[in-house]
Amino acid sequence: MIEPLRGFKDGYLMSLNLGTPPQVVQVFMDTGSDLTWVPCGNFSFECMQCDDFMNNKLVSSFYPSLSSSSFRDTCTSPLCTNIHSSDNTFDPCAIAGCSLTTIIKSTCPRPCPSFSYTYGGGGLVIGSLNRDTLRVHGSGGDLKEVSSFCFGCVSSAFKEPLGLVGFGKGLLSFPSQVGFVHKGFSHCFLGFKLSNNPNFTSPLIIGDLATTSRDGVHFTPMLSNPIYPNLYYIGLESITVITNGNGNTSSSSSSSSSSSSSSSSSSSSLQLQVPLNLKSFDSGGNGGMLIDSGTTYTHLPEPLYSQLLSELSSKISYKRCSDIEATSGFDLCFKVPVSDEVAGAMLPDISLRFLNDVELVLPKESCYYAISAPKEKMVVKCLLFQRMDQDDGEGYGPAGVFGSFQQQNVEVVYDLEKERIGFLPVDCASSAASHGLIH
């Protein structure tokens, strides 16, 4: 099963083919949640703080009244219990006002009560749980029907203007409902220069094809979080900053070992402390590095984040742009000469090393971004890493997040059967072409 993903804003859109007759709705692909939901046009869809999206032609709604196969999920459904985060299977039917007899016998025909669903970035959606026919692409490119696919029919949203297709590990997730939760999936996000080109789409591969014959892919284990078992966590062991100049290489490696430094005329190295909670959890499920296609940039905790900025700044000779840093939301920006063979070619590489000695050298264009057009033969490039918000220092939630921008031009393989995640740097445009996704 191969589905094309289209770059849009800071995410990747997947087309959901829902209903009878089919309606096509564009939704963001999200590995950081389970629920698949769409804006529903039968209601007056209300979205607060969504002004940048609402007039875009890609923003579309689903109309259940126009589908002959659409129906509300019942309060006795396990997925209804799941969406209400209840350990008591009787709760949804009690909320729906069912009689005691039908609750005890699990025969209440009433629909699942309306739900609210929250996201880590502060987003919120409110709606009903619906079922309808979903059509997905089979291995031969033909459409395969999935009957009674369960999804949220959303009437109100806050900071969530487009629907989402959830690729987490829970009962509601897309892989679970289409029968691939014990197999896996992979994606190869196109680089930013091509991600918004309508002629190019990124390949999303679901099922056996995603996890078999993975030559060159290096796998790191998924970390099991007992409190948040449906999310994907990996363990970060070190970060390396690699600077090339005059044929020589200098590196700065950050690991959980002690700090040291050395230097010479051709190279220098510095080890930084990496907190242990980037590869472990506390009793409350806090810690680990979340890998999330729904988060744009990689986030690191303090003091590691500031130490990384300091090391990069010491290795980069370009002039800092403090005025841009003050207004852009990025903490490290430089004026780079356009006359460089490739603008920013002398900016350091950044390598992440995960558990099982898996090292991933990030594509340079995934680490630095030109945030403005060239001016006076100079372009401003900013580091695309950000500080982890730790809720006033309490360390709630993941210790870090591996965001989608740093996953560009990397094949990321989610092997759910063997509970591991693999990485292979590739040209995702070539990968897309091999799957017939360039038009």
Side-chain angles (χ1 to χ4, degrees):
M1 174 179 170
I2 301 176
E3 293 289 338
L5 298 175
R6 178 177 179 179
F8 177 67
K9 300 287 186 178
D10 292 329
Y12 294 85
L13 294 176
M14 176 176 166
S15 296
L16 282 186
N17 189 315
L18 277 172
T20 308
Q23 301 176 46
V24 178
V25 184
Q26 304 290 330
V27 293
F28 280 119
M29 183 259 187
D30 183 24
T31 60
S33 63
D34 287 334
L35 176 68
T36 295
W37 68 268
V38 295
C40 271
N42 280 12
F43 313 102
S44 178
F45 179 66
E46 175 189 17
C47 192
M48 296 176 60
Q49 295 191 20
C50 302
D51 294 345
D52 292 342
F53 287 78
M54 297 310 294
N55 293 325
N56 193 287
K57 64 181 180 180
L58 289 177
V59 178
S60 55
S61 295
F62 176 74
Y63 293 83
S65 63
L66 300 181
S67 173
S68 61
S69 51
S70 179
F71 61 96
R72 290 278 298 273
D73 199 21
T74 64
C75 65
T76 57
S77 163
L79 296 184
C80 180
T81 302
N82 186 278
I83 194 67
H84 285 280
S85 304
S86 176
D87 295 326
N88 187 335
T89 57
F90 298 139
D91 279 349
C93 287
I95 296 171
C98 299
S99 69
L100 178 60
T101 300
T102 59
I103 290 176
I104 296 298
K105 293 182 178 181
S106 297
T107 58
C108 184
R110 294 193 176 186
C112 180
S114 296
F115 67 85
S116 64
Y117 197 89
T118 57
Y119 294 92
L124 168 71
V125 297
I126 297 173
S128 63
L129 205 58
N130 283 34
R131 289 182 181 265
D132 210 330
T133 300
L134 172 73
R135 294 162 188 84
V136 296
H137 290 93
S139 56
D142 54 320
L143 289 178
K144 170 187 173 184
E145 287 193 355
V146 179
S147 61
S148 298
F149 180 79
C150 193
F151 61 97
C153 194
V154 168
S155 57
S156 303
F158 176 66
K159 293 184 177 180
E160 298 290 344
L162 288 175
L164 294 177
V165 53
F167 270 75
K169 293 184 281 185
L171 290 175
L172 277 165
S173 75
F174 185 90
S176 293
Q177 292 197 63
V178 298
F180 295 118
V181 71
H182 298 300
K183 296 178 182 178
F185 61 93
S186 69
H187 57 68
C188 198
F189 295 151
L190 289 167
F192 183 78
K193 291 181 179 179
L194 293 176
S195 63
N196 289 292
N197 187 323
N199 297 319
F200 290 78
T201 50
S202 301
L204 169 66
I205 305 173
I206 305 171
D208 291 334
L209 183 62
T211 57
T212 55
S213 301
R214 310 311 300 163
D215 294 339
V217 178
H218 297 282
F219 288 93
T220 187
M222 291 183 192
L223 300 184
S224 178
N225 189 324
I227 308 300
Y228 306 104
N230 298 343
L231 300 177
Y232 300 106
Y233 289 92
I234 50 180
L236 180 66
E237 287 201 303
S238 68
I239 299 176
T240 304
V241 175
I242 306 168
T243 309
N244 297 300
N246 299 321
N248 298 313
T249 299
S250 64
S251 66
S252 165
S253 184
S254 60
S255 69
S256 56
S257 58
S258 59
S259 298
S260 63
S261 64
S262 62
S263 62
S264 67
S265 60
S266 60
S267 66
S268 65
S269 66
L270 175 69
Q271 286 190 327
L272 306 174
Q273 290 285 344
V274 168
L276 292 176
N277 66 348
L278 275 169
K279 56 181 178 180
S280 62
F281 305 105
D282 64 18
S283 59
N286 304 307
M289 188 168 219
L290 180 70
I291 178 168
D292 181 16
S293 67
T295 299
T296 307
Y297 307 118
T298 293
H299 287 63
L300 297 174
E302 290 289 11
L304 176 62
Y305 177 73
S306 291
Q307 291 168 343
L308 177 63
L309 293 189
S310 177
E311 179 63 13
L312 285 169
S313 183
S314 70
K315 292 287 193 277
I316 297 174
S317 59
Y318 300 126
K319 183 180 178 181
R320 288 279 294 270
C321 288
S322 56
D323 55 333
I324 299 296
E325 293 171 358
T327 58
S328 66
F330 298 113
D331 296 316
L332 198 63
C333 300
F334 297 89
K335 285 187 177 181
V336 179
V338 177
S339 58
D340 280 6
E341 182 179 352
V342 177
M346 299 305 294
L347 293 169
D349 288 312
I350 299 175
S351 173
L352 305 179
R353 185 164 63 91
F354 301 106
L355 291 174
N356 203 30
D357 202 27
V358 172
E359 186 162 4
L360 174 64
V361 179
L362 300 174
K364 190 166 294 186
E365 62 272 17
S366 301
C367 297
Y368 309 96
Y369 173 58
I371 66 170
S372 61
K375 183 179 180 181
E376 298 177 354
K377 299 182 179 180
M378 304 290 284
V379 63
V380 176
K381 287 208 164 191
C382 295
L383 176 71
L384 299 179
F385 282 59
Q386 293 186 326
R387 180 181 291 104
M388 191 71 190
D389 181 7
Q390 293 291 350
D391 285 350
D392 299 324
E394 293 300 320
Y396 175 79
V401 181
F402 187 30
S404 65
F405 215 103
Q406 282 67 52
Q407 298 174 46
Q408 291 179 355
N409 280 320
V410 176
E411 186 170 6
V412 183
V413 181
Y414 292 75
D415 189 337
L416 303 183
E417 182 179 12
K418 296 182 179 179
E419 298 183 335
R420 59 184 187 167
I421 295 178
F423 302 102
L424 177 64
V426 295
D427 177 6
C428 287
S430 296
S431 178
S434 69
H435 293 294
L437 300 181
I438 294 181
H439 306 289

